[in-house]
Amino acid sequence: MGAIVAIVGRPNVGKSTFFNRLIQRREAIVDAVSGVTRDRHYGKSDWNGKEFSVIDTGGYVVGSDDIFEKEIDKQVELAIDEADAIIFMVDVESGVTGMDEEVSKLLRRVSKPVFLAVNKVDNAQRQADAVEFYSLGLGDFYPISSINGSGSGELLDALVEVLPEVEEEEEELPRFAVVGRPNAGKSSFINALIGEDRYIVTDIAGTTRDSIDTKYNRFGFEFNLVDTAGIRRKAKVKEDLEFYSVMRSVRAIEHCDVCLLLLDAARGFDGQVQNIFWLAQRNNKGIVILVNKWDLVEKETNSVRDYEQKIKKQIEPFTDVPILFISVLNKQRIFKAIETAVDVYKNRSKRVATRKLNDVLLPIIEKTPPPAYKGKYVKIKFITQLPTPYPQFAFFCNLPQYVRDPYKRFLENKLRENFDFTGVPITIFMRKK
């Protein structure tokens, strides 16, 4: 569970360039996942060994200036609600604008740490010009140049200083988050879970975060529901904007073990739902897909099997994911949904003994070794599961660099066939022995 940092500011001040600079080192590594549609506005970064998520609030705003005003206010409010720290970016070339003043007015009222970054400061003259940003009343500022990266070190040093320490709580209860696009029926699903007569045992205020966990003890299962903040307070922001629901999901996904991804059967597994799916997959969370309002879809035209195949086609290569057809309204298969989430949770924390791994997989590998590459043969000698909170495996071999993605996928499929990891992303590392 990392902290979340949001970058705000009006269009064209260089937010995206800075964002890309923050996540580039990581993206190269993180996206060994082939063919993932990345959300360009969310990524992971680390500085001095502290990892955090970065959200670029720009890029969703289109329209005229007065629309901009409203949009920017919304973005800033959202950042204030959801992020642990905020970087407010301004541009020395255009000086202090009315919109900058507007944003700083909102930011002066918050207790969260705000860092004023003055961009495009790349010579002494501009260094002098930057002084006028003191007038925004946000205290000291950080002169940077997001194009060549100068000054960003000081800004990041100060930033990671204030990020909340992540307490790895020894959480024995599974944490489930219900995610999906607005109007898919998330709130009704949660109400159906709780039952009108509220089976709430305790409300624990979220640790340093604003995410509130609600503890349920129902159907013979005990679990925490990670509250997506939106359920508690009617969001000030109309949630129809793609960006906002993605941002809300980021928060929920980062804080849970298993995501219950709810979608509306009539709308299907569309772009935004896919985005949330890949977000969960990239964060190595367990996933259960719930197709809601199935009772309203014409049964003749749609068989469950066809619908399921369609979804599986879209989530390749990670297709080992449970898909349930539910109706929140008729309380159909709600219990099954929780049961499945508990199974996925168990799969995610499963440890396979080293001996068993080797006994099962080495013979398979011997029969189907990695294809030779440039006349060189890869020999895999030993396999072990890494001691991480989710399944990662190291395969020790003589030439790790020659093992290609298709073969890693073959190995992943063999792991799935022999040990149940349904609903859980698996990472495979090739290591030099």
Side-chain angles (χ1 to χ4, degrees):
M1 266 165 46
I4 295 184
V5 176
I7 307 175
V8 301
R10 52 192 180 76
N12 308 326
V13 292
K15 294 195 295 294
S16 300
T17 318
F18 184 65
F19 170 77
N20 291 336
R21 180 169 278 288
L22 282 185
I23 65 171
Q24 66 187 358
R25 298 193 314 283
R26 283 300 307 273
E27 283 304 70
I29 310 165
V30 177
D31 282 300
V33 188
S34 36
V36 170
T37 43
R38 264 194 309 295
D39 193 323
R40 285 191 318 284
H41 304 279
Y42 161 85
K44 283 211 176 331
S45 181
D46 62 56
W47 184 255
N48 295 348
K50 219 169 185 189
E51 194 182 64
F52 54 95
S53 298
V54 200
I55 297 196
D56 171 12
T57 61
Y60 278 92
V61 183
V62 281
S64 60
D65 279 356
D66 44 322
I67 298 183
F68 270 150
E69 292 285 348
K70 283 207 292 292
E71 277 302 310
I72 284 211
D73 284 1
K74 271 194 218 160
Q75 283 178 17
V76 173
E77 277 179 10
L78 190 84
I80 290 172
D81 280 350
E82 298 293 324
D84 296 299
I86 298 164
I87 295 175
F88 170 30
M89 192 166 280
V90 292
D91 160 10
V92 74
E93 282 179 11
S94 46
V96 175
T97 68
M99 220 184 282
D100 293 336
E101 285 172 346
E102 183 70 17
V103 173
S104 47
K105 223 187 284 161
L106 292 168
L107 291 177
R108 281 202 302 266
R109 297 202 298 261
V110 299
S111 52
K112 296 189 174 172
V114 174
F115 297 88
L116 177 58
V118 182
N119 194 14
K120 306 184 189 170
V121 178
D122 43 25
N123 58 37
Q125 180 50 52
R126 290 183 164 183
Q127 193 85 36
D129 293 345
V131 175
E132 70 163 304
F133 287 98
Y134 275 121
S135 70
L136 292 176
L138 292 168
D140 277 338
F141 56 82
Y142 295 83
I144 64 166
S145 161
S146 54
I147 298 261
N148 65 30
S150 71
S152 51
E154 287 82 1
L155 170 57
L156 291 171
D157 285 343
L159 174 73
V160 295
E161 272 302 283
V162 302
L163 292 181
E165 278 306 323
V166 178
E167 322 86 50
E168 278 305 320
E169 315 124 49
E170 272 310 298
E171 186 50 86
E172 61 302 343
L173 286 186
R175 310 182 66 182
F176 300 156
V178 182
V179 294
R181 52 181 311 152
N183 312 329
K186 297 195 294 284
S187 310
S188 332
F189 176 74
I190 286 166
N191 290 337
L193 267 190
I194 304 170
E196 304 323 285
D197 41 352
R198 300 238 158 214
Y199 279 71
I200 299 185
V201 192
T202 46
D203 270 1
I204 353 171
T207 49
T208 55
R209 302 296 184 307
D210 338 22
S211 102
I212 304 170
D213 281 5
T214 311
K215 199 180 220 169
Y216 291 107
N217 188 340
R218 221 191 153 186
F219 313 127
F221 294 121
E222 243 193 306
F223 57 94
N224 277 333
L225 205 56
V226 176
D227 195 332
T228 346
I231 306 155
R232 285 298 150 93
R233 48 158 193 250
K234 262 290 158 241
K236 298 189 282 289
V237 182
K238 276 298 285 161
E239 281 209 44
D240 44 40
L241 275 148
E242 197 130 326
F243 173 69
Y244 300 114
S245 31
V246 170
M247 178 105 163
R248 292 250 187 260
S249 313
V250 167
R251 177 60 102 191
I253 287 169
E254 296 216 327
H255 292 249
C256 72
D257 301 305
V258 179
C259 298
L260 297 156
L261 175 54
L262 197 66
L263 62 107
D264 178 333
R267 295 195 72 142
F269 196 71
D270 62 12
Q272 198 178 341
V273 178
Q274 287 173 35
N275 254 342
I276 296 174
F277 176 86
W278 290 117
L279 208 63
Q281 183 266 351
R282 223 165 59 238
N283 276 294
N284 295 298
K285 303 301 184 180
I287 305 175
V288 179
I289 296 175
L290 303 176
V291 182
N292 186 21
K293 310 185 191 174
W294 181 244
D295 46 324
L296 305 179
V297 178
E298 281 298 299
K299 289 291 187 297
E300 295 76 67
T301 51
N302 272 303
S303 77
V304 165
R305 275 210 40 214
D306 295 346
Y307 203 96
E308 204 171 305
Q309 284 321 109
K310 241 194 234 134
I311 293 181
K312 293 221 154 148
K313 188 91 203 105
Q314 286 170 301
I315 59 178
E316 284 174 347
F318 176 35
T319 52
D320 186 13
V321 177
I323 300 175
L324 298 182
F325 293 82
I326 67 171
S327 160
V328 170
L329 207 61
N330 310 331
K331 295 211 179 17
Q332 269 171 344
R333 286 184 283 288
I334 301 271
F335 165 62
K336 183 85 183 117
I338 288 300
E339 212 173 31
T340 310
V342 170
D343 289 343
V344 168
Y345 173 78
K346 288 181 182 149
N347 291 347
R348 185 170 180 260
S349 35
K350 173 181 299 176
R351 323 259 344 132
V352 183
T354 304
R355 205 177 133 193
K356 194 158 182 209
L357 267 178
N358 288 281
D359 288 351
V360 172
L361 290 176
L362 287 178
I364 295 176
I365 291 170
E366 217 153 290
K367 246 173 79 177
T368 319
Y373 182 76
K374 298 187 173 161
K376 294 212 173 26
Y377 289 91
V378 180
K379 299 218 177 351
I380 296 176
K381 296 276 195 249
F382 180 72
I383 309 146
T384 180
Q385 183 174 357
L386 302 174
T388 48
Y390 43 85
Q392 302 198 27
F393 297 89
F395 287 71
F396 290 89
C397 61
N398 52 348
L399 301 163
Q401 66 280 25
Y402 290 148
V403 180
R404 297 278 172 261
D405 278 348
Y407 194 76
K408 284 189 190 161
R409 264 208 290 282
F410 164 78
L411 293 176
E412 178 181 331
N413 291 335
K414 292 301 166 203
L415 278 166
R416 291 183 184 283
E417 280 165 32
N418 290 284
F419 310 100
D420 182 5
F421 284 110
T422 296
V424 188
I426 291 179
T427 324
I428 285 178
F429 297 102
M430 290 295 163
R431 294 260 169 89
K432 191 97 177 125
K433 53 170 187 287

